Every structure is written in C-alpha cells, then in structure tokens.
Amino acid sequence: MRLANFFRSKLGSLVAVVGVTVLSVAITIGIYETVRFWKNKEYLEELNQKLLVRAELAADYAIITLNETAEAGYTTCTDASMGGLAETIFTKSNIKDIAILDTQGNSVCSVISGQRSTYPVDISQKNKFPTSNDRINFVEVGTGSDGIIGITWQFADFGLMALINIDTLLFDIFPMDWRDNSIASIGFNSDALIGTHDSTMTADFMNDPSKEFVSYQAQSTRYPLNTQLVVELQQLVMHNREDENFFIAGGGILGLLFGLLIAQLLARPENPITEIKRGIEADEFVPYVQPLFDLKDLKIIGGEALMRWRKPDGTMVPPSHFINLAEDSGLIVPMTRSIIKQTLNHVDDILIRDRSLKVSFNITPQDLMSDGFIMDLTSIVSDSRVKPEQIVLEITERQEIKDEHKAAGVVESLKSLGYRIALDDTGTGHNGLSYIQDLNADIMKIDKKFVDFISDDGGTEIVQMLVQLAKRMKMQTIAEGIETETQARILNELGVDQGQGYYVAKPLEPEEFCMQVRKQALK
Ligand code: C2E
Ligand code: CA
Ligand code: CA
C-alpha cells in the first residue's frame, strides 16, 4: 500500500521512469549483443560456404583445362607439346604446372620441372582422393601449406595432371578485423591440409586454455575438398560493434519510447503481406531502370528493370525491404508481370527505334513455375512490339530451384522463342558449374561482391576464372556494381563484355533512362 503511494508521488514516478529506462538500456544492450553475435556466427558460416564454392570453381576450371589440353593433343613430351602446355599455363593464372603421365599414372615430364626430365613428384607415393568420375583423382602433391593440389585425369593411353594453386582464394575471405587470430583452410576429405590463410595465430595461441574459438567446416559434395574457418570468439563478438555509449544512449531513448512503441504496434493490425497486397492493388510497385553499358566505350546498350515501392507519401522503398516477403508469399508472380508490362510501356519507343538495345528483368523460380508464364510474357511482349531477342530474363543463382527439370524445360522454351537468359549473381550461390551448364544461359552476370575486390593491386583472380568459364560456355559477361574508373578499366582488360554500376549510372526513373539513351543517339 505504501509502495503504491510512493509511485504516485513525483519522486516515485521519477524513480519508475529511471528504472524502466535503465532496465531497457540493459535489455537493449543484451538483445543487441545476442543478435549481433548470432549474426556474426551466421556470417562466418556463410563465408565458409563461399570459400568452398571458390575452391570447387578452381577445381572445375582445372578439369576443363585438362580436357582442353587432351583435345589439343598436348599429351607427349615433345617440344611442340611442351610448348603448347607452356602457353596454357601462362594464360591460366592459377594453374601452376601440367604434367604428362603414363598409363600407370606416373609422371613422365612436365612443363615447369623441365622437358622430358622426370617430374620430381613421384605421385605413386602420394595420397590420392577419388572423385565421382573414376578417371579423375585429386592428389596430395603439396606440402600441406603451399596451397597446391594435383588433379589427375587418366585417359586410355596417357594421363594428365594439373597443379593448381588455391592460395589466392584464401587471403581475402575474412573481413579486415578477422584477419588476425583466425584460420581459413582448404583440405582434402581426410583433413589432409592443402593450404591455410596466413594469420598471426600460433599454435601457442590456439592451445591457450583461456581462449575460445568458433569454427565452421564444409564438405564439397562434388569433390574431395573441405573448408574450415576458425575465428577467436572474442573477435567474433567484437565484429560490427558500434560505439557502446551510442547504444546506451540509444537504449535510454528506446526505453522512453518503449511504451509508445508498444501502443503503436498494438494499434497497427496490418501485417506486411497485407500491406504488399494493398500496394499491388494501388499500383505502388514501379520499375526503375539501370543502364547497362559496353565496357569498351561506356555506351549504354540497354537497362535492367529494378523494382521500387513508391509509398503514398512519396518515399521509395528498395527491394531489400520487401522482395523476400513477396517471393516467399508468392505475391512476386503478379508483381513480375506488372513490372515487365510497365517497363515496356516506358521503353518501347527507344527499343523499337534501336533494335540492338536490350532490357532485362529479374525472374524468380516461382515465376518460371507459375501457370501460363510463357503465354503471359508472349502477350505482354507482342503488345509492345519489342522483340523477344531484346529481352533478357535474369535468373538468380542465389535461390534454389526446386523442380530443376521443369525449370530447365521452361527456360528452353523461352530460348527457342528468342528470349535471352542471364545467370544473375554468379559465384555467390551454392550451385557451381553443373548448374551453370544445365541452365544453358546466354549471359553470365558477375556479382558485385567480386567486383568490389578489384583494384590496381589485384583482386582479379575470381573474375578471371569466371570470364574464362563463360568464354568456354560461349556466354557473354556482365559485371555488376562497377563504382570506379579503375574497376571499369580492369574489367575491360580482363575481357568482360559489359558493365552495370554507379560509375556510369544509378537506377533511374524510366523517363530519365529513355532521355539518356536518346541523348546518346544524338551524339
Ligand atoms: P540484382 O538483380 O543483383 O540488381 C543489382 C543491384 O545492385 C540493384 O539493387 C542495383 O541498384 C545495385 N547496384 C548496381 N550498381 C551498383 C553500384 O555501382 N553500387 C552499388 N552499391 N549498388 C549497385 P536494388 O535495385 O536494390 O535491387 C536489389 C535486388 O533486388 C536485385 O539484385 C534483385 O535481386 C532484386 N530485385 C530488384 N528488382 C526486382 C524485380 O523486379 N523482381 C525480382 N524478383 N527481384 C528484383
Ligand atoms: Ca538482376
Ligand atoms: Ca547481382
């Protein structure tokens, strides 16, 4: 009774407010720390998956090279054959050497270790790791820390071995603040190490009982390769930690707003999916168009339609805020059709005037699987008088396609109607080479993540690999997220065909996009 009176007094309510504020500061910090730690762990796991995909791509690439070598007939120890191999090695940066093997799998000669001399690595004594193809084996030829893998391919009357270096895949895998006291490694199945990222972490440090570590491992389903990332717990905890005072202050303010917020939340019955549905009905989802340009002369050769949510108050909401929900709920299906229709309404004039111009749309697996997709697309496109050959359908590598067989059939029909198919976000998904091959796409879009690494100091290894894979599959390449002149120049030198990025233009309102194209035509 006396306590209740106390809280009714001025001092009492002050104490109550301070109490709630302090409590909410503590809760805010607690929640913030927990969520951040959990996110950092998830991030580490994701990096590990990426490392595995990189290693698999490097192996795919070596196997393709061995096949090309055999087809070119560089399979003996003659000068001509060695000359051909030397050129191959020279042009493929992560292939260090190619050896010719006899029918027993013993090496006879190799490019780097000298013509016709016996290769110093006696591979009969080395551990071999089989793959699903019984003629292809991975061989432990390196020291366990030099990043070298041998990949052998036994043909009827000879064999070939490529030595590849996976060191370069490791060094940039961690964000800056995790590069100390961390380990990134790639190994064969049995945990025989191939290479590690060189960190300052010593055995002493790792054996220190007061330290804790968080680690993730991943095993390739296609090759005898596994990856592991280890980061000291303390570093994992510290990652992305903003100024704590800021959070205490933030928590305080939050505390004061807490009651209000709850009231507001309770007063807001609409759930986000209902809100998207309402947005669809009110035609609030509109396209922006980002120019795509030729990397040789930076001329605009087309554009990609990117969705925006124009709220009634005029604010523009980017797709990161709603696209996942739209995809998960299936609402994306009508939205995609609407975006295609609206975009073509805006750009049909310039596309009819210049038949070399193209426009791309993001297509999800749900779209491909939806009833009547091909029919609806055909009717929208023929209404616009834009040709199917001017339309690119971007299919992302990020999402899994549940019924790959059916999807491949739809894609094939679309191709036969003249539509062009692009593989979006290449290198970021978990699908690897076989998926890229199955889809039989015309264009490979190299993700911004790989473009970000590029500078005059390097960072081009993965892009180089993707460009050569694309060439091999007769695909055009487009690099996304080009922000600097340097990136544009280097990507052009690497043989990438087209670019997209803030360096030339951000996503524009469709009218603005058309104006830019018209301006260019007048030049
Ligand atoms: P995306 O298909 O990879 O599109 C490229 C994204 O990179 C766009 O983001 C674009 O604005 C951004 N970007 C391009 N150049 C640069 C650059 O130089 N720097 C930076 N920082 N960013 C750059 P946006 O518009 O936010 O779209 C994000 C993603 O949302 C798209 O990634 C795509 O996956 C999805 N999306 C957008 N529109 C649609 C749509 O109509 N349908 C579907 N299903 N997905 C869409
Ligand atoms: Ca895209
Ligand atoms: Ca992308």
Side-chain angles (χ1 to χ4, degrees):
M1 198 59 201
R2 280 165 82 193
L3 198 66
N5 282 338
F6 171 71
F7 279 120
R8 262 180 226 122
S9 71
K10 268 194 178 157
L11 178 68
S13 60
L14 189 68
V15 167
V17 169
V18 170
V20 168
T21 306
V22 168
L23 191 71
S24 76
V25 167
I27 291 173
T28 308
I29 292 176
I31 292 174
Y32 166 68
E33 293 287 313
T34 316
V35 168
R36 198 169 40 78
F37 177 60
W38 175 70
K39 283 206 150 168
N40 288 348
K41 271 178 81 164
E42 213 176 53
Y43 178 50
L44 181 64
E45 192 174 8
E46 199 180 296
L47 289 182
N48 190 34
Q49 276 298 336
K50 293 225 163 96
L51 182 59
L52 187 66
V53 171
R54 285 185 184 189
E56 287 180 336
L57 271 174
D60 288 333
Y61 184 50
I63 289 170
I64 289 175
T65 305
L66 287 182
N67 191 30
E68 281 174 351
T69 306
E71 277 172 7
Y74 302 142
T75 56
T76 57
C77 296
T78 61
D79 286 345
S81 182
M82 285 292 137
L85 289 183
E87 204 180 307
T88 308
I89 294 170
F90 181 72
T91 54
K92 320 232 156 169
S93 59
N94 60 347
I95 297 194
K96 295 296 155 203
D97 198 359
I98 297 181
I100 313 275
L101 314 178
D102 62 20
T103 49
Q104 303 305 307
N106 298 314
S107 85
V108 189
C109 57
S110 84
V111 182
I112 303 299
S113 337
Q115 290 185 15
R116 284 177 220 135
S117 66
T118 308
Y119 189 70
V121 177
D122 181 1
I123 55 176
S124 62
Q125 302 300 313
K126 300 287 175 184
N127 284 329
K128 295 189 182 60
F129 301 89
T131 68
S132 55
N133 178 334
D134 56 10
R135 295 190 299 155
I136 298 177
N137 280 286
F138 282 39
V139 189
E140 187 183 6
V141 288
T143 59
S145 62
D146 55 5
I148 303 287
I149 308 178
I151 299 182
T152 62
W153 191 338
Q154 211 57 49
F155 295 85
D157 19 281
F158 63 91
L160 291 169
M161 173 167 71
L163 293 192
I164 63 171
N165 189 350
I166 45 103
D167 248 4
T168 50
L169 309 181
L170 290 159
F171 84 99
D172 62 6
I173 195 78
F174 285 122
M176 269 305 185
D177 57 328
W178 283 356
R179 294 202 183 161
D180 294 338
N181 303 332
S182 63
I183 298 177
S185 62
I186 301 179
F188 295 111
N189 291 346
S190 60
D191 279 7
L193 266 186
I194 301 167
T196 46
H197 144 71
D198 205 7
S199 90
T200 51
M201 181 132 71
T202 60
D204 280 355
F205 189 88
M206 280 212 77
N207 291 330
D208 183 342
S210 70
K211 303 265 190 275
E212 273 185 75
F213 299 90
V214 178
S215 79
Y216 282 100
Q217 294 208 29
Q219 171 69 47
S220 169
T221 52
R222 299 195 293 130
Y223 293 127
L225 291 173
N226 69 343
T227 56
Q228 185 177 31
L229 297 187
V230 184
V231 173
E232 198 210 336
L233 180 66
Q234 199 51 34
Q235 282 195 315
L236 193 87
V237 170
M238 296 304 285
H239 184 61
N240 272 344
R241 180 183 234 154
E242 317 294 348
D243 187 352
E244 253 189 331
N245 288 333
F246 172 77
F247 270 92
I248 292 170
I253 294 168
L254 263 177
L256 292 170
L257 295 177
F258 204 48
L260 256 176
L261 201 76
I262 287 178
Q264 224 182 26
L265 281 178
L266 288 175
R268 214 175 67 176
E270 210 170 32
N271 82 18
I273 296 196
T274 328
E275 220 181 317
I276 294 178
K277 275 190 190 148
R278 189 193 51 70
I280 294 177
E281 266 152 36
D283 291 328
E284 287 173 11
F285 294 93
V286 295
Y288 268 40
V289 183
Q290 187 177 29
L292 297 175
F293 51 88
D294 190 322
L295 271 170
K296 288 194 193 63
D297 53 16
L298 305 185
K299 278 219 169 109
I300 300 174
I301 45 99
E304 174 179 2
L306 294 162
M307 205 187 310
R308 299 289 180 267
W309 187 350
R310 187 167 52 203
K311 288 282 179 79
D313 65 2
T315 48
M316 283 291 175
V317 183
S320 52
H321 287 64
F322 60 82
I323 212 86
N324 285 342
L325 266 176
E327 287 174 359
D328 294 347
S329 62
L331 287 173
I332 191 70
V333 169
M335 291 164 95
T336 303
R337 283 158 166 87
S338 159
I339 289 295
I340 298 177
K341 202 170 193 158
Q342 293 183 62
T343 308
L344 290 180
N345 272 339
H346 287 295
V347 303
D348 53 356
D349 279 351
I350 58 166
L351 263 79
I352 290 168
R353 197 158 305 162
D354 179 352
R355 291 292 185 187
S356 72
L357 287 172
K358 298 194 168 57
V359 59
S360 329
F361 298 102
N362 291 288
I363 303 296
T364 65
Q366 286 102 306
D367 291 314
L368 285 181
M369 297 299 164
S370 65
D371 287 340
F373 177 68
I374 298 183
M375 228 158 67
D376 290 353
L377 182 67
T378 306
S379 109
I380 296 171
V381 171
S382 68
D383 281 351
S384 76
R385 292 190 295 127
V386 170
K387 292 193 169 150
E389 286 75 11
Q390 294 177 279
I391 295 195
V392 180
L393 305 174
E394 299 191 1
I395 300 173
T396 180
E397 208 216 16
R398 271 177 297 117
Q399 292 166 332
E400 217 185 340
I401 296 189
K402 286 197 191 77
D403 185 350
E404 272 183 51
H405 190 69
K406 179 167 177 204
V410 176
V411 167
E412 212 176 291
S413 309
L414 288 167
K415 282 188 62 146
S416 69
L417 289 170
Y419 294 99
R420 297 166 60 77
I421 307 293
L423 184 66
D424 207 353
D425 311 310
T426 312
T428 63
H430 299 175
N431 301 305
L433 187 68
S434 57
Y435 176 81
I436 301 179
Q437 259 166 339
D438 288 351
L439 205 61
N440 193 15
D442 308 282
I443 299 166
M444 177 190 281
K445 293 196 84 173
I446 300 172
D447 196 71
K448 176 172 185 299
K449 292 193 187 72
F450 303 123
V451 173
D452 284 346
F453 285 129
I454 294 180
S455 71
D456 276 319
D457 304 329
T460 60
E461 299 278 345
I462 293 172
V463 173
Q464 250 177 322
M465 219 157 66
L466 291 173
V467 167
Q468 291 185 10
L469 281 175
K471 285 220 169 102
R472 157 103 193 164
M473 293 176 213
K474 309 216 162 36
M475 293 164 84
Q476 270 196 326
T477 41
I478 304 182
E480 299 177 319
I482 302 176
E483 293 185 346
T484 66
E485 190 274 330
T486 313
Q487 289 169 340
R489 175 175 44 80
I490 295 176
L491 286 162
N492 182 40
E493 284 163 9
L494 290 174
V496 178
D497 303 307
Q498 292 162 11
Q500 177 178 5
Y502 294 179
Y503 171 55
V504 165
K506 290 196 169 184
L508 307 170
E509 288 204 44
E511 285 73 25
E512 173 67 21
F513 170 78
C514 294
M515 214 151 75
Q516 300 252 351
V517 173
R518 287 205 184 91
K519 243 189 352 213
Q520 174 175 285
L522 292 177
K523 274 190 200 149

